[in-house]
Each structure stands twice: as C-alpha cells, then as structure tokens.
Amino acid sequence: MSNTRPRRSRLVVAREWARANLFDGPLNTLATLVTVAFLAWAIPAMVRWLVIDAVGYGGDPEACRRAGGACWAFLRVKGDVILTGTYPFEERWRAQIAAGVTMVAVAVALFWRGGVVGLAGLFVAAFVADLALLSGGIFGLKPVDSTRWNGLPLILFLSVFTMAAALPIGIALALARQSKAVVVKVVAVTWIETIRGIPMVAVLFAGVFILPLLIPPGWQFSSMVSIFVVLTVFHAAYFAEDFRSGLDDFDVGQIEAARSSGLGYRQTLRLVVLPQALRIALPALTNSIIGGFKDTSLVAIVGLYDLMATARMASADVEWQAYTLEGNIVVGLFYLVTCVAVSERFRRMAEARHGH
Amino acid sequence: MPATLATQVSPDLPRPRPSLFTRRRIRSAVWQTALAVALLTLGYVAHLNITRNLAASGVSIDFGFLAREAGFDVSEQLIAYTPKDSYARVLLVGLLNTLLLAATTLVAATVVGLMVGVALTSRNWLLRTLARVYVELLRNLPKLLVILAIYVLMVRRLPLVRAAWPVPGGGFLSNRGLYLPWPEIAVGGLALVLTLAVWLGATMVWARIVKRRQDLTGRRLPVALPSLAGIALALAALLGTGLLHVDWSMPVLKGFNIVGGAHLTVQFTALWVSLSVYHASQIAEIVRGGIVSVDRGQREAALAQGLRPLQILRLIVLPQAIRVIVPPLGNQYLNLIKNTSIALAVGYSDLVGVMNTAVNQTFRPVELMAVVMVVFLAINLTTAAALNWFAAATRPVGR
C-alpha cells in the first residue's frame, strides 16, 4: 500500500496536468493532436538522419558515401578548414590561440567587476595580442596576409573589437544627439539615421568600394581595415539609438539634483547619468550586441571568409560536396551556444543591477 | 563643519551671471564653428581624394553611364529586360525584385509570426513549448546561416525537374524552384477591377451599418460571411456571363523543363521561406509581448460573459495588444526590408546584388552606392510614414 500510493498519486497528478495543459477544450485537444502528429513525423526522421543512419565523428569517410544519414567524420577531416580556413596550415595554432584570446577577453569582460579603464585596457590588450598573432611579422612570427584570416578567429576578431570600439562612440553619439549645439546634433543625427536606414550589406559594400577612395592616392590598406572601420561606424549608430532610449527614460530631476549638489557636467555624466542610462538601455543593447555578432557573418558577402564560408570551403572538394549541411549544423550550434550564453549573462546583469 | 560648508556655497560669492552666460554661448559658438570648419575641410579633402583616385583609373563622377547598355543578365525579372537594356533599367529590375521579396516576406512573416506569437501564450503546454523552441532557435542563429542551410537543402534534397513533386492545385516543386498555376485575364480586366472596388465599398458601408445597429440595439449582424458570399456570387456572375474570362496557365512538364504557370526560382523561394521563418520568430516575440500586456482580468471577464476563446482573442485581446505591438513591429518591418539585401548570398538579383555587378563592370562605386542609399532611405521613410499613420489610427480615442 505504501508503495503504490505515491505512484498512483503521481499518475493522478500527471493526468490532471495533461487535462489542464493539453486537453482543455476541443480547440486545445486539436492543437495537441496536430502538434503530436507533427513531432511524430519530424523527430524520428531527424534522429534517423542525425544518429541512426549517420557515420560518427571517428568513422571512416568512405562509409559516408554509402550511409543515408549525416557524415560527422567530415568534421574530423575538415575541422581545421572550418575553424581557420586558408590560414597557413603549419601556422594555424596562431589563429587558434587568437580566437581563444578573444573568447577569454569576452568571458572576463562579462564578469568584470573593475572600472571602465581596466575594461578598456583588457580589450586593447586582447586586440593587440590578436593582431600580433594573426598578422605576424614580429617576434619571429611569419607574416600572414589579412586575406587569409578566415573562420572563427576572423568573426570573433571583427565582431568583438568593432563592437568594443563602437560602444563608447555610440554613447558619445547619443549624447551628441541631445546636445544643444546644432552642428554637433546634426552630425550625430545624420550618422545615426543614415546608417540605420541602409542595409548592413550596403554598408559593407561602402567599406569595400568607397572607403579606399577617400584616402589619398598611393596609400594602401587592406579590405580588412575598411571592413573594421565600417563595422564600427555601423554598430555605433545602433548602440547610440539603444543608449538614447536609456537617456530618454532617465529622470531629469536627478541631473538637476547632481548639478545643485556641486557636480560638474562631466562628473554628473560619469557618476549619475551614464551608469543609470546604461542600466536602462541594457536589454536593448543586448539585442544589438547579439544581432551584431550574428550579422558579422555577412562579411562573407563582400568576400571575407566567415565560418559559413569556411564551412562551404571545407565541402568544396568533389568527394566532400554532399556534406555542407553538416558543416552548417556545427556552425549553427556554435552560434546557438554563444548567443544563448551571452544573452543569459546580460539578462542576469540587468536583473542584478535592478535589485540594487 | 557646517561653517566651512556654508562658506563654500556662500550665496554672496561674486558671480558674474550675465557675463558667464554670454561667455558660455560664445564658447559654444566657437567650438561649433571649429567643428563645422573641421568637417567641411574633411569633406573637401575626401572629395579631392575621390576625384584624384577616380582620375587615376580614368573616370569621374558622372551619372550619364546609367543610360548605357548594361550587358549583363539577371536571375529573374518582373519587367522585360535583356542585357541590351540600360543600367538604369537593370537597377529598376533589381529594385522591383527587392520590393517583391520584401512584400511577400512581410506578409508571410506576419501571418506566421502572429500564429506563433499566439501559440507562445497558449495554455497548451506542448504547443507553447514547440513555439518557444522555434523562436529561441531562430533568434540565436545568423540569418545568413538559415538562408544558406535552406538553400542547400532545397538544391540538394528536392527532386530534379523531370521528377518534380506535384503541389496540390496543379503546381510543381523541384530543385529549380516552385511552379504554380497562374491566372491570366483574357477578357474583362476592367470589369474585375470595378467589381472589386464596388465590393470593397459595399463591405465598408455594410460594416458601418452593422456597427451603428450594434451601438443602438446591441445586436450584431454578420459581416464577413455576407461579404464573402457577395464577392463569390459577383465573380461567379462575371465568369458565367463571359464578361470576365480567366485562362489558368498551368505548369506542364515538357521534356526536361516545366513550361507555363508562374515560376518562382529556387533562389527566390529559399530567400522567401528563410527570411519569413527568420522574421516570424522575431514578430512572434513581439506579438507575445503585446498579448501578455493585456490584463488577464479582461480575458476572464470576457469568458464570464460567455465569449468563446477565439472571440476573446479577436474582440478583446488583439485590438488592445495591437497598440503595444505596432511600434516594435514597424521596426521589424524596416529590418526585414533591409535584410532582403542578403539575397546576394544565393545569387538572387536584388537591388544590392545588381549594384554589385554594375560596380564591378563600370567602376562607378560612388554613383551606384548613392543610388542604392537614396532608394533605401526613400523606402524607409515611406514605410516609417505609413507605420506612423497606422499607429495614429490604432491609438485609443478619448478615454
């Protein structure tokens, strides 16, 4: 008796839960049945392709030809190509370490408890380290042309450092937009609205086509520099708009209070306005940061090799042509994990600050 | 202690108020002038550099080339186009392709987004969880990845043309795209337009009469059913009397190709599906936010008054949620229109794609980028104006 009672009650609980959540009325029951039918069709097909009919990571590439499912051995053979693309093979450890440095910098920044100066120093240090590792030419490292910075190190380098540079510019733009000085305001509004009005792909093309024309003849710079600059300009406009929502919701009385208690303009800004406005803008900023990270993949359209381009490169050989999807799935998993982790961390930060 | 504090903020400290005020204004004016001069100088230097750089490759800024022969083909076109046509024409072809993709995606993404958004608030655990998985998955993947994956899947997994899958209603789906039956109006285009106009007017008048009656008597007469019945009868009459004659152009398999009907290329279909699916996930979250913003109590009150769940959604929840939904939805629409420029990734000839080809052929990046920027800013301003109008129209009146 004492054995059966908890089991029975659990069954009753389950039945009640099912009735309340799945079969509550005809419409709900219909929805449940349709959903179950869909899952019953989709899940077995997916499991069959992903697992049952698939060739494992350690499997024989030859077996992939005969198998009806996914070919995970593709990742073992072509993993290096997906990660670092055309980066010289014997030097690829440099690109791998560079990617690691960027990721560690982001992880440290997400749990940073120090001041702003230290945070800026962290990003500058990581930037310099990445640049030295990727381009070489110092410490006896072989020089590597920036067209061969591909895959994971490239997208981490471009997304993290352009956004890190864009954040202070974005804050300045948002403040400039509210400035009483007409010239300052016009510059800020033009910047923000023009960039926000045109697609990122067009902005990237502007970097490739227009930016090199703006510098004196004879000066040379790679498209990597152009892309870095326009991405920073692009992100700054969006951050400025997010930050403006923070400034708009900010209580003006606090500024007056700060000023009347003797704080100057800069002190008021640094101690009173910015910390609170940043907190209000954090959810919007999170969205822009995640979006900016994902959209950095669009550099593939102007000829840089992001992770999707290297995944395609990996399946360029005739014998591997059938496995683009496997590469895309792994790249997708990478984005899924990083985006969820970062946005979750930002959400915690927003909540923690809210508690104070 | 209080004494020192008092001396610090002593009110009778000499303060040249008016002169400080003017000094601050002068200082600001000086700074602004300096900034303006710096910007103008920078602009002038940029202009000089552009001219010199372009001169080095033997061109100068001149929009005259737009009238010259483009000489390249596009993947698909809505208006007649051959490589013999001008650059201006090919840019127009690209713009129309962009607008077609944007419009069809906007409709599909809104419909799917609305359904998934409602599913996100469903009491049905299974449905809600499935919708949540869909939204979170799509929100955390780059759209380029979604598009490339769907494109690859379509090209690889769909059958060849000669083994194309039939689509209910007479269409075909193959790895060359989607073929659908297409109505071609042989006779009576004008009659059709007139009938539709009369029908629209009559429906609006009827809706107003119904509304007035409901306000007076509390009894509601049906609107949707008579309206649909009316147009069905009218169309049947037009077709029956021969005033309107529609030829359905059916896609037919002929040898290695499918002829007739409307052909949506695999590029367009992949873009349309993936952009719709991608933006639907964002719209769903906006719709959910709007729905949960409506007070639960209202739903319970409506339930207690005997309204059915779908009626509650349509009459109580959505009209109020729409006010919360519209502003972020507008932003989403603007994003969607801009995101169509990703089309280049799969070789669909949208405006940016055509621009890219044209730049590579003519080396006129400045003029072509200017055209694209002006077009996108114009599209954005028009859409924003339409959305503002809509937001004003759905704003609650006098409460």
Side-chain angles (χ1 to χ4, degrees):
Chain A
M1 211 52 191
S2 57
N3 279 351
T4 50
R5 261 184 73 184
R7 230 172 44 207
R8 235 180 68 189
S9 78
R10 215 176 292 160
L11 195 71
V12 170
V13 167
R15 196 190 297 160
E16 272 170 6
W17 179 89
R19 188 172 297 162
N21 289 290
L22 299 176
F23 302 102
D24 176 28
L27 201 68
N28 225 339
T29 307
L30 183 71
T32 301
L33 292 180
V34 170
T35 317
V36 166
F38 170 74
L39 291 177
W41 167 76
I43 289 182
M46 268 163 62
V47 169
R48 208 177 308 129
W49 189 81
L50 286 169
V51 185
I52 298 171
D53 291 348
V55 174
Y57 184 76
D60 174 19
E62 273 305 309
C64 289
R65 271 15 126 223
R66 295 184 298 275
C71 173
W72 302 117
F74 169 69
L75 299 175
R76 191 190 74 231
V77 180
K78 293 288 185 180
D80 276 326
V81 179
I82 296 177
L83 271 184
T84 55
T86 61
Y87 204 85
F89 189 72
E90 60 283 2
E91 303 283 330
R92 69 188 190 285
W93 57 272
R94 280 161 50 188
Q96 287 161 1
I97 292 177
V101 166
T102 323
M103 283 201 273
V104 168
V106 170
V108 171
L110 284 174
F111 292 89
W112 191 257
R113 297 220 170 268
V116 179
V117 180
L119 196 62
L122 172 76
F123 278 109
V124 170
F127 177 73
V128 171
D130 269 12
L131 216 52
L133 280 164
L134 286 170
S135 67
I138 46 168
F139 306 127
L141 295 172
K142 223 175 83 186
V144 176
D145 192 71
S146 67
T147 50
R148 301 183 74 171
W149 306 357
N150 301 161
L152 186 63
L154 174 79
I155 55 148
L156 287 173
F157 179 79
L158 278 180
S159 55
V160 170
F161 297 119
T162 55
M163 288 200 278
L167 199 59
I169 301 174
I171 291 173
L173 275 179
L175 292 172
R177 189 177 189 151
Q178 300 205 325
S179 167
K180 286 195 194 76
V182 184
V183 180
V184 176
K185 189 176 180 148
V186 166
V187 170
V189 169
T190 314
W191 179 335
I192 297 170
E193 293 308 328
T194 311
I195 292 291
R196 280 165 44 87
I198 56 177
M200 185 171 178
V201 175
V203 174
L204 290 171
F205 272 123
V208 176
F209 291 142
I210 308 285
L211 213 55
L213 295 177
L214 295 178
I215 54 161
W219 289 22
Q220 289 285 326
F221 57 53
S222 66
S223 63
M224 184 69 65
V225 179
S226 306
I227 300 285
F228 196 97
V229 171
V230 287
L231 277 179
T232 308
V233 167
F234 180 85
H235 292 317
Y238 279 83
F239 289 162
E241 200 57 16
D242 299 335
F243 198 69
R244 183 168 78 140
S245 66
L247 289 178
D248 280 351
D249 287 355
F250 187 75
D251 183 9
V252 187
Q254 287 201 39
I255 299 176
E256 284 156 8
R259 295 306 288 267
S260 64
S261 51
L263 295 180
Y265 173 75
R266 281 186 204 163
Q267 279 177 313
T268 310
L269 207 59
R270 190 166 57 86
L271 300 172
V272 180
V273 181
L274 288 186
Q276 297 189 62
L278 259 176
R279 191 189 66 204
I280 302 170
L282 198 56
L285 275 173
T286 308
N287 271 338
S288 291
I289 289 172
I290 297 291
F293 175 56
K294 293 191 301 172
D295 282 351
T296 304
S297 57
L298 294 181
V299 297
I301 291 180
V302 292
L304 299 192
Y305 288 90
D306 79 314
L307 273 173
M308 278 153 252
T310 53
R312 196 189 265 187
M313 192 192 288
S315 58
D317 305 348
V318 179
E319 52 177 329
W320 294 109
Q321 243 168 23
Y323 313 115
T324 323
L325 202 59
E326 281 85 336
N328 281 339
I329 287 174
V330 175
V331 174
L333 273 178
F334 163 75
Y335 274 105
L336 209 57
V337 170
T338 46
C339 289
V340 168
V342 170
S343 52
E344 190 63 15
R345 178 62 201 150
F346 273 120
R347 201 178 57 77
R348 292 253 171 97
M349 269 156 74
E351 273 171 10
R353 288 185 167 199
H354 212 67
H356 278 293
Chain B
M1 259 324 203
T4 43
L5 207 98
T7 48
Q8 270 178 1
V9 288
S10 162
D12 44 37
L13 231 142
R15 278 196 154 190
R17 258 182 183 278
S19 100
L20 183 78
F21 180 66
T22 43
R23 250 181 30 214
R24 195 176 281 170
R25 273 185 65 168
I26 290 169
R27 207 172 56 190
S28 161
V30 169
W31 273 111
Q32 287 196 60
T33 318
L35 182 67
V37 169
L39 284 171
L40 287 175
T41 318
L42 213 64
Y44 180 68
V45 170
H47 173 74
L48 267 185
N49 283 338
I50 286 185
T51 329
R52 270 160 44 190
N53 278 316
L54 286 177
S57 29
V59 285
S60 62
I61 292 182
D62 173 13
F63 283 87
F65 78 97
L66 286 173
R68 288 214 307 270
E69 188 180 296
F72 64 91
D73 213 349
V74 292
S75 71
E76 54 214 274
Q77 62 266 339
L78 289 172
I79 51 172
Y81 171 78
T82 64
K84 283 200 164 31
D85 285 321
S86 66
Y87 278 108
R89 180 113 181 144
V90 79
L91 285 171
L92 182 64
V93 168
L95 172 61
L96 289 176
N97 280 344
T98 291
L99 291 177
L100 173 73
L101 182 60
T104 47
T105 305
L106 206 135
V107 172
T110 308
V111 171
V112 177
L114 193 64
M115 290 193 314
V116 176
V118 171
L120 280 174
T121 63
S122 163
R123 273 173 307 150
N124 187 319
W125 178 85
L126 206 56
L127 192 65
R128 195 171 66 225
T129 310
L130 195 68
R132 177 50 63 194
V133 168
Y134 164 77
V135 169
E136 290 305 321
L137 195 66
L138 268 295
R139 282 214 308 180
N140 290 298
L141 289 177
K143 47 190 170 283
L144 185 61
L145 181 79
V146 178
I147 286 161
L148 289 178
I150 287 183
Y151 181 64
V152 166
L153 265 180
M154 286 184 71
V155 172
R156 297 270 166 79
R157 298 293 151 106
L158 288 179
L160 295 172
V161 168
R162 62 196 138 87
W165 291 343
V167 172
F172 286 105
L173 185 63
S174 83
N175 66 359
R176 296 252 296 272
L178 188 60
Y179 298 81
L180 292 171
W182 192 252
E184 276 164 8
I185 296 164
V187 190
L190 188 67
L192 181 66
V193 171
L194 283 177
T195 313
L196 286 178
V198 168
W199 168 67
L200 210 64
T203 304
M204 279 159 74
V205 169
W206 177 241
R208 195 157 286 183
I209 292 171
V210 167
K211 176 87 173 61
R212 191 165 301 160
R213 246 187 87 92
Q214 190 183 13
D215 287 348
L216 284 173
T217 65
R219 198 165 295 165
R220 188 170 170 85
L221 296 169
V223 176
L225 205 66
S227 168
L228 288 177
I231 190 67
L233 273 176
L235 286 180
L238 275 180
L239 287 169
T241 54
L243 281 173
L244 175 71
H245 188 74
V246 177
D247 283 329
W248 280 90
S249 168
M250 301 299 281
V252 192
L253 191 63
K254 265 192 188 155
F256 292 104
N257 216 342
I258 291 177
V259 290
H263 177 204
L264 303 176
T265 59
V266 68
Q267 287 93 340
F268 177 85
T269 317
L271 280 168
W272 178 61
V273 169
S274 47
L275 279 176
S276 301
V277 164
Y278 182 82
H279 282 284
S281 72
Q282 320 251 349
I283 291 173
E285 193 60 26
I286 294 171
V287 170
R288 190 197 68 91
I291 291 175
V292 296
S293 77
V294 178
D295 187 16
R296 259 190 83 85
Q298 293 204 21
R299 240 164 292 179
E300 281 156 10
L303 205 62
Q305 292 198 328
L307 273 78
R308 288 189 298 276
L310 275 182
Q311 274 183 317
I312 296 176
L313 191 66
R314 188 167 60 85
L315 298 172
I316 310 288
V317 178
L318 284 185
Q320 297 183 75
I322 200 111
R323 286 169 214 145
V324 181
I325 291 172
V326 165
L329 188 66
N331 265 333
Q332 197 53 232
Y333 282 172
L334 293 177
N335 282 343
L336 186 154
I337 294 171
K338 286 184 283 174
N339 279 345
T340 55
S341 60
I342 209 172
L344 194 53
V346 294
Y348 175 74
S349 301
D350 77 321
L351 181 63
V352 179
V354 168
M355 176 213 76
N356 182 37
T357 316
V359 168
N360 287 329
Q361 285 203 354
T362 60
F363 197 64
R364 293 192 176 277
V366 180
E367 297 91 329
L368 285 160
M369 284 295 311
V371 169
V372 168
M373 276 176 66
V374 166
V375 166
F376 266 105
L377 290 178
I379 293 177
N380 259 27
L381 283 178
T382 324
T383 318
L387 289 163
N388 279 342
W389 172 82
F390 187 75
T394 51
R395 204 161 287 146
V397 270
R399 238 192 276 170

